Amino acid sequence: MNVQELLCFGTVPGGGNAALVVQDDHSSADQRQQFARERNQPACVFVDAAPDGAIVLDYFYPHARSPLCLHATLAAARVLLSPQRPLLTVRTALRGQQLTLTLVDDKVFIRLAPQTPPGVALAPDLPGRLLAAPGVTLASAPTVASVGSPKLLLEVADAAALHALTPDLAAIAAWGAQHGVSGCYAWCRRPDGAHEGRNFNHLDPAQEDSATGVAAGALTVHLGAGLTLYQGGNTGQPCRIVTRRDGENILIGGETAFRSTT
């Protein structure tokens, strides 16, 4: 087993959302889940070779296996790509979703297509119940969008409102499990034209994500335009995700850096 640790989407040296990229591993899904739990990093991605020769990415959080994790994919792209191999198509283990990894001017990007989200009826009181803020007034209508891991998108008034949120994480987890949605993403527009967000998909508030690439992709689908998205202010790991539209597809990228090899 070869394990490499990378920091993704960071805005400063030594910052970003950590991911472990694991190669040359032949353990079972249960063993991989145990590994992710013991390492207790935001995400682990196992790089496998399928019988047909394809490269398959298998994602694990400490608490669950995931169909898609884009910051872990970005980490895998940094490991797998080189000037000699600047383009690589991979697929995900759980759903067989195809992703294209690209290296442009020493920057890595993930190209992927929007996915059809679950058809979920959103009750008027749902945002208030999930955010533990009865009567909350959103800046736009809530919606569900997806690039492979559906998110409930909730636009709040501004950054102050965003950082003040103390949502009902158990209610979010229960609602998401019932409807096939991977938590909710609260976001706002910034005066500088960028966006800022927080992802709520863990029962433990200490596990809040510093960067959520699938949410950035979902928000890009929803808004119909590329964006710069800041996240991680609440976790002490400020991150920046950049997305672009590429025809019907979406490019998602950001900074990547190796932290250690074990």
Side-chain angles (χ1 to χ4, degrees):
M1 177 189 291
N2 177 31
V3 182
Q4 293 173 284
E5 183 177 359
L6 291 92
L7 296 170
C8 303
F9 299 124
T11 62
V12 296
N17 207 19
L20 301 180
V21 180
V22 185
Q23 297 174 285
D24 304 320
D25 172 76
H26 303 286
S27 58
S28 68
D30 287 344
Q31 290 170 324
R32 290 179 172 186
Q33 187 64 74
Q34 181 64 26
F35 174 89
R37 190 176 301 114
E38 291 173 351
R39 289 300 184 100
N40 198 34
Q41 293 297 316
C44 298
V45 55
F46 292 81
V47 181
D48 298 321
D52 63 2
I55 294 176
V56 178
L57 302 183
D58 197 5
Y59 307 98
F60 289 82
Y61 301 132
H63 68 290
R65 195 180 188 188
S66 175
L68 179 64
C69 175
L70 288 186
H71 96 265
T73 304
L74 198 74
R78 174 57 71 186
V79 170
L80 296 171
L81 297 178
S82 67
Q84 294 72 39
R85 185 168 67 169
L87 185 70
L88 182 64
T89 298
V90 301
R91 68 172 182 251
T92 63
L94 281 183
R95 297 181 182 167
Q97 182 180 357
Q98 289 217 334
L99 311 172
T100 300
L101 315 181
T102 64
L103 179 67
V104 180
D105 297 329
D106 201 39
K107 302 288 186 183
V108 290
F109 292 90
I110 306 158
R111 180 186 292 115
L112 71 174
Q115 304 291 301
T116 301
V120 182
L122 304 177
D125 67 337
L126 179 68
R129 287 193 285 112
L130 298 186
L131 296 178
V136 65
T137 300
L138 298 180
S140 63
T143 190
V144 177
S146 178
V147 291
S149 183
K151 292 288 180 185
L152 172 62
L153 302 175
L154 304 174
E155 184 184 4
V156 299
D158 51 31
L162 180 71
H163 291 290
L165 291 173
T166 55
D168 187 336
L169 298 176
I172 291 171
W175 181 85
Q178 180 182 0
H179 296 287
V181 177
S182 298
C184 69
Y185 195 78
W187 64 282
C188 69
R189 303 170 196 263
R190 294 177 18 150
D192 61 4
H195 300 75
E196 188 168 354
R198 292 176 65 190
N199 187 56
F200 303 117
N201 193 30
H202 297 282
L203 289 173
D204 181 359
Q207 297 296 318
E208 182 177 330
D209 286 345
S210 296
T212 313
V214 291
L219 191 56
T220 301
V221 171
H222 171 53
L223 296 177
L227 52 85
T228 297
L229 179 66
Y230 290 88
Q231 191 178 330
N234 287 71
T235 68
Q237 288 284 6
C239 291
R240 179 177 57 242
I241 306 169
V242 178
T243 74
R244 303 174 186 169
R245 294 300 300 265
D246 181 22
E248 294 300 314
N249 295 318
I250 294 168
L251 288 172
I252 298 176
E255 294 297 324
T256 55
F258 288 91
R259 184 152 75 179
S260 64
T261 303
T262 58

